[in-house]
Amino acid sequence: MNQHSEPVILLGGGGHARVLIDLLLESGTCSLSGILDPELAIGSQVKGVPVLGTDKELPALREQGIGHAVVAVGSTRSTQLRRTLFEQVRELGFQQPALVHPSAILSPSVSLAEGVQVMAGAIIQTETRLGAGVVVNTGARIDHDCEIRQHAFLAPGVILSGGVTVGENAFLGAGAVVIQGRHIGANAVVAAGAVVVRDVEDGALVKGVPAK
């Protein structure tokens, strides 16, 4: 999107949303039309952005011509709510732009799918592919030839060495490290500070140094 694009709606008004508001304001890529969050009072504001209601307002907002939406809820272990909201707005015809903070460093060959969010200070190296809805949080570092599949969530400070694959819906906690060539399975959880030296099975929870 550019500065003349249509407004965007944020789904969620918590900490992750506030980070995204800063990202959007600093990048100057769109205008913020409002926030939908069932936990917040209609008419209140988050960093100057008005709360318009809940996700039940989405069809009406789409009919009004608002064409872009951003999933702005964070994740603690489970990414299911993010995925559910992503699919909901997609079915309603909203576009979900890939968002990259101006301070992030991305190789020109990095591939970003719909709804990707790359936060401040992240570094993503050559030939890495990020699937739909992926979050690369503050200061995360992803080296060459990694594949992060749809709706995976990398918390602040995660480090992936070259050739790592992260399965869909996986969650990697703050400061987790994955050595080169490893595979993190779908729906797996890697605890904060863990060091992964072996492949992680689908749905597994691993923690510690080395991760077990």
Side-chain angles (χ1 to χ4, degrees):
M1 295 190 297
N2 58 44
Q3 288 182 329
H4 301 291
S5 63
E6 59 188 287
V8 64
I9 291 291
L10 300 184
L11 281 79
H16 190 75
R18 296 197 301 274
V19 172
L20 286 170
I21 290 169
D22 284 349
L23 183 159
L24 290 163
L25 292 174
E26 289 186 43
S27 60
T29 53
C30 67
S31 59
L32 291 158
S33 181
I35 289 170
L36 302 179
D37 191 320
E39 302 297 322
L40 300 176
I42 295 173
S44 62
Q45 294 189 349
V46 177
K47 295 180 75 72
V49 182
V51 176
L52 305 179
T54 72
D55 57 350
K56 293 180 181 179
E57 305 299 326
L58 282 168
L61 291 168
R62 187 69 190 95
E63 289 179 3
Q64 294 170 20
I66 294 177
H68 291 83
V70 171
V71 176
V73 297
S75 180
T76 53
R77 294 185 57 171
S78 174
T79 63
Q80 187 55 53
L81 176 58
R82 288 185 51 82
R83 181 166 191 153
T84 297
L85 292 170
F86 181 97
E87 293 172 351
Q88 180 182 359
V89 296
R90 173 187 272 174
E91 289 173 2
L92 289 169
F94 287 91
Q95 295 182 37
Q96 300 179 72
L99 304 177
V100 179
H101 193 279
S103 70
I105 300 173
L106 276 64
S107 163
S109 63
V110 169
S111 173
L112 303 178
E114 179 184 18
V116 164
Q117 299 170 4
V118 180
M119 303 307 191
I123 301 173
I124 307 178
Q125 297 285 17
T126 188
E127 304 297 335
T128 290
R129 300 176 300 282
L130 305 184
V134 163
V135 173
V136 179
N137 230 307
T138 308
R141 287 172 278 172
I142 303 175
D143 221 292
H144 62 88
D145 300 296
C146 290
E147 180 181 2
I148 318 300
R149 294 176 181 163
Q150 58 183 350
H151 304 294
F153 190 99
L154 277 58
V158 165
I159 298 175
L160 305 183
S161 297
V164 170
T165 301
V166 177
E168 63 180 83
N169 304 324
F171 178 89
L172 279 64
V177 176
V178 184
I179 69 166
Q180 65 275 8
R182 297 304 93 191
H183 173 80
I184 308 298
N187 302 297
V189 175
V190 178
V195 177
V196 176
V197 299
R198 299 181 181 86
D199 290 351
V200 176
E201 296 180 357
D202 293 353
L205 165 63
V206 298
K207 56 186 177 180
V209 181
K212 297 179 181 179

